Amino acid sequence: MKFSENWLRSFVNPALSSAELSHLLTMAGLEVEGLDAVAPPFNNVVVAQVLEVVKHPNADRLNVCQVNVGEDQPLTIVCGASNVAVGVKVPCARIGAVLPGDFKIKQAKVRSIESFGMLCSGKELGLAETSDGLWLLPEDAPVGTTIREYLELDDHIYTLKLTPNRSDCSSLFGIAREVSALTASPCTPLAITAQAVALEEKLVVKVEDAQACPAYYGRLVRGVNAAAATPVWMQRRLERSGLRSISVVVDITNYVMLEMGQPMHAFDAATLSGGITVRRARAGESLTLLNEQVAQLDPEVLVIADDARVLALAGIMGGQGSGVETTTRDVFLESAFFHPDAIVGKARHFGLATDSSFRFERGVDFAATQLALERATQLLIDLCGGQVGAISAVRGTLPTRPAIELRRSRVTRVLGIALSNEQIADLLSRLQFEFTPNGDDYRVTPPSFRFDMSIEADLVEELARLYGYDNIPAIAPKTALTMLPYSETQRPMSRIQQVLVSRAYQEIVSLAFLEEQTERDLCGNDAPLVLQNPIASNLAVMRSSLIGGLINALRFNLNRKQSRVRLFEVGACFAKSGDDYVQTQRLSGLAYGSCQAEQWGVTAKNVDFYDVKADVEALFASLSLRFAAATHPGLHPGRCAQIYLGDALVGWMGELHPQWQQKYDLPLAPVWFELQMDTLLGSKVPRQQEISKFLPVRRDIAVLVDEIVPVQNLLDAMAKASTALVQEITLFDLYRGKGLESGKKSLAFRVLLQDTQKTLTDLEIEASITALVDALLQQGAQMRS
């Protein structure tokens, strides 16, 4: 929100500089994003009137002017502007003036004629981007008055970053009320005079949804001059608040909104059919808004209508065909209180962001709704004339402000300082809170303009703000430090992250929202969790897997010439189970590009399934994983596996499907894995085992099997048949090709046998190996000779 410092100081004028006032507001929770001067620094520039213009005797494009600057004798000034003329009033920089850019005005001889100053354009004063000549001032500009004083250029524009809870400060008077409370300076109340009713005529107003619109006030004003000019002081305040002047009636409603925080609307009474109705829109209705956008309405939208059509989106924007024009003679002024729940989100639904919706969504002062109508009527009569009609009012059940119990002991405990009863009472009074003291406790009733006051903590915060955060001492905490219990059956997250970091992965954090099509492509999710109010159209669904964020991060890196990428993420994934929503923590990783960083000692090779498989096994070090071929909608059909820990499915891994590799414009296929986080956090407690003093015995078993037989099936069969003497079974050789039948492969397993108590005999060794061979034969294997 923007506002003029001069306008603010017309209500409350504390003994603070502009910078000090900015700091005060920021420390009180009203962050000042910007503090800008209205005009660049310059001096000794006054309003002047040109009395005489004569052609320069020695230059075709110059004129010699006699200029009245408010002194006894006029000044002679040589000027080359094409629009200089007798009688015009313009800014005049006198000798000694310093203009923007440190341009100093001196007495000078121009083509043999002495010049005692300079007539200025808006660009030369730093007040315009371009200029076609002198800046022509209004005819009533007082000659001799400094330009800075006449145009109120010694002013600053504050830009506030209001938090949603401080809707009471979305007006000049609200900010003035806040400054008054912070500084204990007097605040001048609004000078509002109720206008005498000259017409008993009034429109019939009906409210069909009293919960959405608890209060509606309107009145007819006939015989206005809508073509009247908006006064300069009002235009100046509007412009410095970020609003352009449109017409006098519209400017009045905007001015009241800025001044009091109450959005208003003015209808051309001649365009209305019958009375005014506040209702929900009907299916199929539409409205062409003032910005020429056509809004398709539904029953969720609250509208203002007459007997024939919809006139406006309640609390958001008016429609075309009923607004005030310069030819308007009769005006219907509207001032209403719309409940925030009825307005919130509706403007964004139509792609709008208006000053009215900004205030109604956060809550306006419902006690000042009629007062704002009186203020607008007063300004309308003063500036446009007319006859005032009676007020049409519909009042329902307005929001209540329940009393809040405030304990002095609680204030002391939370703030760490002891405020006296007198201090607390003074601070509450400055906030305009009604309260009843009861010993050290208070029963506090917030005013109608404070929607953010509901619990005791809110009041404590208000006391802290007014007391001043800078005045609260920073006391270092004192406490006894004790070690928390740590279970060896759980691994800390940091250890898991460190494993991946040590293997050249880098952690990312992505949004939990995805584009719907990405979720369908990579996860095969035809019924994703759709957000009701997404922050962007490409972030419309909740993710069911982390793969989408990793692919997006990979593309981001590839677009920045990163050819080798290793990424991982720990995050929540979301799914629906029946009527419930399920959230699970997962760890997901992705590898792309060369297996190792480019170097002279290693032959370049792109990362493959088995490289990432080794990374996954490193995460489960000391535990045995099993990988089973499977299909996944996002992965290559022949290069995809499910990951099992025992009999439990704990994750997926594989190479990205060629279809998606092409769609997402990836030169190579990345290899991806995803694991359930809870399975990674578990850990086995180390157990002491006796180390054998006897040498191990190695035996190799070579078999022929069909190409389609998974090695994991053979390992599982041997593990099940092995005796206690078998310590390790490992595949160490795989052969296909010459000397083997088509569709066959040769596998060689290393078997280590060992006993902790004795040297193994040939009989014991052969018995164990025979059991393993039998298990292989049952799987269809043939022993190689």
Side-chain angles (χ1 to χ4, degrees):
M1 175 182 173
K2 293 183 177 182
F3 65 89
S4 157
E5 182 180 0
N6 285 353
W7 192 2
L8 175 67
R9 289 186 183 272
S10 68
F11 290 112
V12 58
N13 191 15
L16 298 173
S17 67
S18 300
E20 290 171 338
L21 180 58
S22 173
H23 178 74
L24 176 73
L25 291 171
T26 298
M27 292 306 297
L30 304 180
E31 182 183 352
V32 178
E33 282 191 310
L35 175 59
D36 304 303
V38 168
F42 61 83
N43 59 32
N44 208 10
V45 180
V46 300
V47 177
Q49 185 173 24
V50 178
L51 302 179
E52 180 182 275
V53 178
V54 178
K55 282 291 182 182
H56 195 293
N58 301 320
D60 294 337
R61 297 186 178 181
L62 296 179
N63 295 296
V64 180
C65 306
Q66 298 299 313
V67 180
N68 176 15
V69 294
E71 295 183 344
D72 294 338
Q73 296 296 324
L75 300 180
T76 299
I77 296 177
V78 177
C79 176
S82 59
N83 61 341
V84 65
V86 174
V88 298
K89 292 184 177 180
V90 295
C92 176
R94 304 187 59 182
I95 293 175
V98 180
L99 302 186
D102 199 30
F103 182 69
K104 298 178 180 178
I105 302 301
K106 301 177 181 178
Q107 180 178 339
K109 183 176 289 188
V110 181
R111 297 287 182 95
S112 74
I113 301 293
E114 292 287 344
S115 181
F116 297 90
M118 184 178 81
L119 305 184
C120 302
S121 66
K123 182 178 180 181
E124 289 163 335
L125 297 179
L127 300 176
E129 294 289 335
T130 59
S131 179
D132 295 329
L134 298 178
W135 184 6
L136 303 182
L137 300 176
E139 295 180 359
D140 60 353
V143 174
T145 304
T146 66
I147 286 291
R148 301 195 72 91
E149 178 184 351
Y150 172 63
L151 298 176
E152 296 184 14
L153 298 181
D154 293 321
D155 191 8
H156 291 86
I157 296 176
Y158 288 76
T159 303
L160 294 187
K161 184 179 181 180
L162 287 179
T163 53
N165 63 313
R166 293 310 306 270
S167 60
D168 59 300
C169 291
S170 60
S171 66
L172 258 295
F173 187 71
I175 298 171
R177 187 170 51 210
E178 182 75 4
V179 172
S180 175
L182 292 169
T183 61
S185 301
C187 181
T188 304
L190 290 168
I192 300 177
T193 303
Q195 301 299 301
V197 175
L199 302 171
E200 292 301 325
E201 180 185 5
K202 58 183 182 180
L203 291 185
V204 176
V205 174
K206 294 185 295 183
V207 176
E208 294 183 0
D209 192 340
Q211 185 175 2
C213 179
Y216 188 98
Y217 301 90
R219 78 174 353 151
L220 280 169
V221 181
R222 294 197 179 276
V224 301
N225 178 17
T230 302
V232 174
W233 61 267
M234 182 177 286
Q235 291 187 42
R236 185 176 299 144
R237 289 180 173 181
L238 290 173
E239 289 168 0
R240 293 180 185 179
S241 299
L243 298 180
R244 62 184 179 89
S245 177
I246 298 174
S247 67
V248 63
V249 178
V250 176
D251 290 348
I252 287 171
T253 59
N254 285 337
Y255 184 84
V256 173
M257 178 186 68
L258 293 173
E259 184 180 58
M260 302 183 64
Q262 172 64 53
M264 299 187 65
H265 193 68
F267 297 100
D268 185 340
T271 66
L272 302 181
S273 299
I276 294 291
T277 303
V278 183
R279 59 172 174 82
R280 295 288 177 176
R282 302 186 180 104
E285 286 186 319
S286 63
L287 174 66
T288 302
L289 301 173
L290 291 174
N291 63 356
E292 299 184 353
Q293 174 183 337
V294 178
Q296 300 299 326
L297 309 178
D298 59 63
E300 293 294 319
V301 181
L302 191 69
V303 298
I304 311 298
D306 61 12
D307 293 347
R309 57 177 174 152
V310 175
L311 303 173
L313 294 180
I316 300 176
M317 184 181 286
Q320 289 189 357
S322 62
V324 174
E325 306 290 345
T326 55
T327 56
T328 298
R329 297 294 296 163
D330 302 324
V331 172
F332 180 75
L333 289 177
E334 167 197 274
S335 180
F337 171 72
F338 301 111
H339 198 283
D341 292 343
I343 306 299
V344 67
K346 300 301 185 296
R348 185 158 51 181
H349 174 73
F350 293 107
L352 301 172
T354 65
D355 291 314
S356 293
S357 63
F358 176 86
R359 288 164 173 79
F360 279 123
E361 286 179 346
R362 290 156 176 78
V364 301
D365 183 4
F366 52 82
T369 307
Q370 183 174 354
L371 199 63
L373 181 63
E374 293 288 2
R375 174 61 167 159
T377 304
Q378 176 186 348
L379 291 171
L380 187 64
I381 296 302
D382 290 345
L383 302 179
C384 304
Q387 293 180 305
V388 177
I391 293 178
S392 302
V394 177
R395 286 181 289 267
T397 303
L398 293 169
T400 58
R401 288 287 178 267
I404 305 171
E405 298 294 333
L406 176 65
R407 297 163 291 172
R408 182 184 169 208
S409 59
R410 182 64 177 170
V411 174
T412 302
R413 181 180 177 184
V414 172
L415 301 184
I417 55 175
L419 296 179
S420 67
N421 287 331
E422 291 75 16
Q423 286 177 300
I424 293 176
D426 176 60
L427 295 176
L428 292 176
S429 298
R430 283 157 55 181
L431 288 165
Q432 300 183 28
F433 289 4
E434 296 180 2
F435 62 92
T436 303
N438 182 16
D440 285 346
D441 298 338
Y442 298 84
R443 186 174 179 82
V444 183
T445 302
S448 58
F449 52 81
R450 291 303 297 268
F451 275 75
D452 56 325
M453 295 290 106
S454 58
I455 60 176
E456 185 180 32
D458 297 329
L459 297 177
V460 175
E461 180 185 2
E462 290 299 293
L463 296 178
R465 288 194 319 106
L466 262 67
Y467 184 77
Y469 293 120
D470 291 339
N471 299 323
I472 299 177
I475 302 173
K478 295 180 180 179
T479 184
L481 299 179
T482 57
M483 293 186 65
L484 297 175
Y486 174 71
S487 174
E488 288 187 86
T489 62
Q490 292 289 313
R491 286 198 296 172
M493 175 68 71
S494 59
R495 187 176 301 173
I496 297 170
Q497 293 168 315
Q498 188 59 44
V499 170
L500 288 172
V501 170
S502 68
R503 302 179 79 87
Y505 285 80
Q506 292 181 305
E507 186 173 10
I508 69 165
V509 178
S510 64
L511 290 174
F513 316 129
L514 281 176
E515 186 175 5
E516 184 173 352
Q517 191 57 49
T518 302
E519 177 72 8
R520 293 179 184 273
D521 290 346
L522 301 179
C523 304
N525 188 358
D526 293 329
L529 296 180
V530 180
L531 297 170
Q532 292 185 354
N533 193 19
I535 58 178
S537 59
N538 63 333
L539 299 171
V541 302
M542 302 291 286
R543 65 188 179 193
S544 63
S545 168
L546 301 177
I547 185 172
L550 290 169
I551 294 295
N552 289 336
L554 170 62
R555 297 176 65 196
F556 182 88
N557 280 270
L558 292 179
N559 290 336
R560 284 150 184 82
K561 306 302 181 183
Q562 300 299 309
S563 60
R564 182 175 184 267
V565 181
R566 299 286 189 282
L567 303 172
F568 79 95
E569 180 175 13
V570 178
C573 296
F574 308 88
K576 191 171 184 180
S577 178
D579 294 331
D580 298 327
Y581 294 93
V582 180
Q583 175 178 322
T584 56
Q585 287 291 118
R586 298 184 190 175
L587 168 68
S588 188
L590 177 147
Y592 176 93
S594 60
C595 182
Q596 297 190 31
E598 185 177 5
Q599 56 167 300
W600 59 268
V602 178
T603 303
K605 180 182 81 74
N606 288 331
V607 67
D608 60 20
F609 180 95
Y610 296 100
D611 296 318
V612 177
K613 179 173 179 285
D615 296 333
V616 173
E617 290 174 331
L619 289 169
F620 288 91
S622 79
L623 299 176
S624 179
L625 295 177
R626 183 165 56 88
F627 296 82
T631 58
H632 185 284
L635 302 180
H636 193 297
R639 300 172 188 175
C640 168
Q642 292 178 324
I643 306 171
Y644 288 88
L645 180 60
D647 294 330
L649 175 64
V650 299
W652 286 83
M653 69 166 294
E655 189 177 289
L656 188 67
H657 197 292
Q659 178 183 0
W660 310 134
Q661 176 188 346
Q662 182 179 9
K663 177 175 180 178
Y664 293 101
D665 196 21
L666 302 175
L668 302 173
V671 183
W672 163 80
F673 69 88
E674 186 161 286
L675 303 166
Q676 297 290 343
M677 198 66 225
D678 55 351
T679 60
L680 279 167
L681 295 176
S683 176
K684 283 187 176 181
V685 178
R687 296 180 182 276
Q688 180 269 337
Q689 289 183 343
E690 182 181 358
I691 299 176
S692 179
K693 300 176 182 178
F694 304 94
L695 294 177
V697 176
R698 171 173 173 163
R699 292 287 186 272
D700 293 343
I701 303 175
V703 294
L704 288 173
V705 295
D706 292 335
E707 186 68 50
I708 62 173
V709 176
V711 173
Q712 186 65 51
N713 290 359
L714 304 180
L715 290 172
D716 292 343
M718 288 190 288
K720 188 175 181 180
S722 64
T723 66
L725 299 178
V726 178
Q727 302 298 314
E728 179 183 319
I729 304 173
T730 307
L731 176 72
F732 72 90
D733 185 57
L734 166 65
Y735 176 74
R736 300 182 181 92
K738 186 177 180 180
L740 296 182
E741 297 179 26
S742 176
K744 295 287 186 179
K745 60 185 176 183
S746 174
L747 305 173
F749 298 95
R750 181 180 70 243
V751 181
L752 296 181
L753 303 96
Q754 192 176 36
D755 194 318
T756 60
Q757 303 300 321
K758 61 178 180 177
T759 301
L760 296 178
T761 64
D762 289 343
L763 185 61
E764 291 171 326
I765 294 171
E766 290 304 321
S768 296
I769 295 300
T770 299
L772 297 180
V773 170
D774 291 342
L776 290 172
L777 295 177
Q778 291 175 10
Q779 295 294 318
Q782 301 174 22
M783 298 300 296
R784 290 196 64 184
S785 57

